[in-house]
């Protein structure tokens, strides 16, 4: 568990595995992309809010959702993922949703280089979401499944960033480093990775970025 102080109160971040983690804030549990293959969701607390970046089964996992959600749970999703969740707040890129004072903005997450055998990107532009959560000026960037993309240059100040690192679906080590240099988050969590050379990455990060690994 890693804790940060924000203008809206303390948040605690608990990494669950793959692209899944939990943000605890003011007695509320905010889950990102719950995935039952990496955690036992029967042992997790009730979800007040769930963010779904896109519809792939390792991000939209109904088995995991069934263990932590009920009719009171608020969902924020991509448009495609929202078609699978009743009552979801499906955000297009650039749209925002306010949850109990937290601003949630959908931002781009997509592939440019890595493509399927048929030539289509693993994650086409506009299909999935990244999110920026704004805790009263303390901003958390959840990149979703993405490569290094031009839109990262216009994210603004980021206090905590979650960046994926796994080929062929998201970023190579080199892309990951360049993304960190572009975004310049104060705190950086690699996620959605198969393997991680912590020392190699840490040695190439700009000064001022704190790297968190499991």
């Amino acid at each position: 568990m890693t804790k940060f102080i924000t203008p809206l109160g303390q948040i605690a971040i608990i990494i669950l595995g793959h692209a899944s983690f939990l943000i605890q804030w003011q007695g509320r549990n905010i889950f990102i992309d719950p995935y039952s293959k990496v955690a036992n969701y029967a042992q997790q607390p009730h979800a007040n809010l769930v963010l779904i970046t896109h519809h792939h089964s390792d991000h939209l996992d109904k088995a995991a959702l069934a263990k932590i959600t009920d009719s009171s749970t608020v969902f924020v999703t991509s448009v495609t993922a929202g078609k699978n969740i009743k009552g979801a707040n499906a955000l297009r890129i650039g749209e925002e949703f306010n949850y109990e004072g937290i601003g949630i903005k959908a931002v781009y997450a997509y592939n440019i280089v890595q493509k399927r055998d048929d030539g289509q990107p693993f994650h086409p532009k506009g299909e999935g979401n990244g999110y920026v959560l704004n805790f009263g000026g303390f901003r958390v960037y959840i990149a979703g499944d993405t490569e290094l993309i031009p839109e990262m240059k216009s994210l603004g100040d980021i206090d905590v960033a979650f960046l994926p690192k796994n080929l062929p679906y998201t970023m190579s080590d080199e892309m990951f480093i360049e993304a960190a240099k572009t975004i310049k988050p104060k705190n950086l969590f690699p996620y959605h990775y198969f393997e991680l050379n912590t020392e190699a990455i840490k040695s190439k990060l700009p000064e001022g970025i704190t790297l968190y690994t499991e």
Side-chain angles (χ1 to χ4, degrees):
M1 177 186 294
T2 307
K3 297 179 180 180
F4 299 98
I5 300 300
T6 85
L8 296 185
Q10 179 178 274
I11 61 172
I13 295 172
I14 301 169
I15 304 300
L16 297 172
H18 196 60
S20 305
F21 60 98
L22 166 63
I23 300 175
Q24 294 186 317
W25 168 74
Q26 301 290 76
R28 298 171 179 85
N29 298 302
I30 303 169
F31 284 88
I32 290 79
D33 288 347
Y35 185 37
S36 54
K37 289 189 178 180
V38 296
N40 182 354
Y41 280 86
Q43 296 179 353
Q44 297 302 320
H46 170 260
N48 302 101
L49 171 66
V50 176
L51 304 182
I52 303 292
T53 58
H54 61 293
H55 64 285
H56 291 169
S57 60
D58 56 334
H59 297 263
L60 173 53
D61 179 356
K62 290 193 173 182
L65 293 175
K67 299 286 179 58
I68 57 173
T69 65
D70 60 21
S71 61
S72 70
T73 302
V74 176
F75 286 89
V76 174
T77 72
S78 66
V79 171
T80 304
K83 295 176 182 178
N84 297 280
I85 299 174
K86 184 178 180 180
N89 299 281
L91 300 185
R92 293 180 172 82
I93 302 301
E95 291 185 334
E96 298 187 40
F97 179 81
N98 186 288
Y99 174 76
E100 302 290 337
I102 303 170
I104 303 170
K105 183 176 182 178
V107 296
Y108 277 108
Y110 62 95
N111 290 96
I112 298 173
V113 178
Q114 300 296 334
K115 299 180 180 179
R116 302 180 187 276
D117 291 340
D118 62 4
Q120 293 300 309
F122 283 105
H123 303 94
K125 187 174 183 178
E127 185 177 84
N129 291 349
Y131 296 105
V132 176
L133 279 60
N134 190 337
F135 291 84
F138 185 98
R139 304 175 75 239
V140 178
Y141 173 47
I142 302 165
D145 277 16
T146 189
E147 291 177 356
L148 174 63
I149 55 176
E151 290 84 359
M152 288 178 176
K153 296 178 181 178
S154 58
L155 287 172
D157 291 340
I158 298 296
D159 294 284
V160 178
F162 289 84
L163 297 181
K165 194 202 74 64
N166 67 326
L167 290 176
Y169 307 106
T170 63
M171 288 192 269
S172 64
D173 289 11
E174 292 75 19
M175 283 184 183
F176 182 92
I177 295 297
E178 286 305 310
K181 290 179 178 179
T182 299
I183 299 164
K184 298 183 178 69
K186 296 179 180 68
N187 303 280
L188 175 59
F189 288 81
Y191 82 147
H192 204 312
Y193 58 83
F194 297 134
E195 57 184 28
L196 187 70
N197 188 331
T198 303
E199 293 307 315
I201 288 175
K202 189 179 294 186
S203 68
K204 296 177 182 178
L205 287 176
E207 290 186 9
I209 297 178
T210 301
L211 181 70
Y212 294 86
T213 58
E214 292 183 72

